[in-house]
Amino acid sequence: AWNDFNLALAEVRTDAVLLREAAAARHGAEMDIVEDVLGSLSRRVDLLTMPPAACDAVLAAAHDLFRERYGMLWVLDADGRMLCSARPAERGVDYSHLSYVRAVQAYRRPALGSFVVGEVSRRRVLPVLVPMLGPDGSLSAMVGASVYLDYLVRTHRAIPIADTHHVWLIDSAATAVTLSDAPDSALPAGGILQRIVGEEAQTFEAPARSGVAQIWSVAIVEPGLRLMVSLPLEAIRRAAHQALIVRLLEFGLILGVC
C-alpha cells in the first residue's frame, strides 16, 4: 500500500517529463527547420556581391515560402550592419550591440535572441541568426530570421493536450510565453524563472504564483531557449492519500475479521 502511494506520486514526475520531452521535440524540430532555411541562405555567397536590391529580392522570394512562420529574413555584414532584407528596412543600421549578434561573431555558430516585438512585423518574434563563413572559416556575414511566436503557439495548440497542464517557452532573459493559455499566476513563484535559464534540464516541485503546488519540468530546446511544463500536484496527492487510506482500511478490516 505504501509502495503504491509512492508510485502514484512518482508517476506525476514521469508524466511531466514525458509531456516536456514531446513538446520539446516538436519545437526543437521547428527550430531545426528555421536553421536549415538560414543555412541554405548562408551558402548563397553571391548575396554579398549582388546589388542590395537584388539581395532584397532573393530574401523576399524565400520569405514568401515561409510567410506564416517568419516575420522577416535579413543579412548583416560581419560587423553587424544591415545589408539587405526580405521586407523594407533601413540599410546600414548597426545591430552589433545585440547579444545574439555578438554570440555569432564570437563563436561562429547559430544563436537565438530574446523575445521581442519585430520592428517591421510589429508582432512578437524570436530572432535566429546563423553565420555565413568564408572558405577559411572566417565570418563573412550573418543571415537571420524572426520566428513568429504566435506561429509556435498555433503549432502547439493544434495538437490536443490535457487541460490540467501548461506549457511555456522561456528565452535567455527569463521571459516566459505561454503555449497553452496559462495565466501569469500559473508561472513559478519567486526567482525560479531566472534560475532556470542558467541551469540544465530538470524536474522539481514548487508553488506557482497563485500558491498552488505544481511539479515543473524544464528542457533545453536550443541554447537560449527552454521549454517548461507544469502539472498540478494537489489533486494527485489527494487521490494518492485516498487510495492509501482505502487500502489501510481494507487491511484493517481483514485483520479484524481474522
Side-chain angles (χ1 to χ4, degrees):
W2 183 250
N3 284 338
D4 288 345
F5 171 74
N6 288 325
L7 284 173
L9 296 181
E11 282 177 359
V12 66
R13 297 180 69 89
T14 302
D15 290 344
V17 171
L18 291 175
L19 290 169
R20 177 199 79 185
E21 292 302 316
R26 185 159 62 247
H27 291 287
E30 290 295 335
M31 300 314 298
D32 288 342
I33 290 172
V34 66
E35 288 185 13
D36 286 345
V37 171
L38 295 178
S40 297
L41 290 173
S42 72
R43 291 188 287 273
R44 291 285 306 269
V45 293
D46 56 317
L47 292 175
L48 304 181
T49 57
M50 64 177 60
C55 178
D56 289 346
V58 171
L59 295 180
H63 183 240
D64 285 341
L65 299 174
F66 303 96
R67 190 172 293 274
E68 292 298 314
R69 296 186 180 193
Y70 313 137
M72 181 69 152
L73 297 173
W74 69 89
V75 177
L76 306 179
D77 67 16
D79 295 323
R81 291 186 294 268
M82 180 71 73
L83 291 178
C84 53
S85 57
R87 300 170 70 175
E90 185 179 353
R91 294 191 179 94
V93 176
D94 188 357
Y95 293 99
S96 60
H97 61 283
L98 297 175
S99 60
Y100 59 95
V101 175
R102 295 199 302 269
V104 173
Q105 290 172 330
Y107 302 110
R108 310 289 197 269
R109 60 173 180 257
L112 275 60
S114 301
F115 302 145
V116 295
V117 175
E119 294 181 5
V120 177
S121 67
R122 309 313 302 171
R123 290 161 64 181
R124 212 170 190 190
V125 296
L126 173 64
V128 184
L129 195 64
V130 303
M132 182 182 287
L133 301 178
D136 59 351
S138 61
L139 184 66
S140 301
M142 295 167 276
V143 187
S146 300
V147 182
Y148 285 134
L149 285 184
D150 53 13
Y151 168 77
L152 296 178
V153 171
R154 290 197 307 273
T155 301
H156 182 86
R157 292 178 184 166
I159 299 174
I161 59 174
D163 294 334
T164 56
H165 79 271
H166 296 304
V167 184
W168 292 268
L169 289 176
I170 305 171
D171 68 8
S172 57
T175 302
V177 173
T178 178
L179 301 178
S180 56
D181 287 328
D184 287 345
S185 60
L187 284 166
I192 291 178
L193 283 180
Q194 288 73 18
R195 175 175 62 80
I196 284 172
V197 298
E199 297 179 351
E200 299 298 320
Q202 57 186 295
T203 301
F204 58 94
E205 297 179 20
R209 293 175 183 175
S210 62
V212 177
Q214 300 276 335
I215 187 158
W216 312 89
S217 194
V218 182
I220 299 175
V221 179
E222 295 275 341
L225 182 66
R226 284 165 171 75
L227 183 138
M228 181 175 68
V229 170
S230 73
L231 281 170
L233 275 177
E234 290 303 324
I236 295 165
R237 282 176 173 166
R238 194 180 309 116
H241 278 107
Q242 289 173 350
L244 176 62
I245 291 171
V246 168
R247 293 297 302 279
L248 293 177
L249 288 174
E250 290 173 351
F251 295 147
L253 179 61
I254 291 172
L255 289 173
V257 171
C258 292

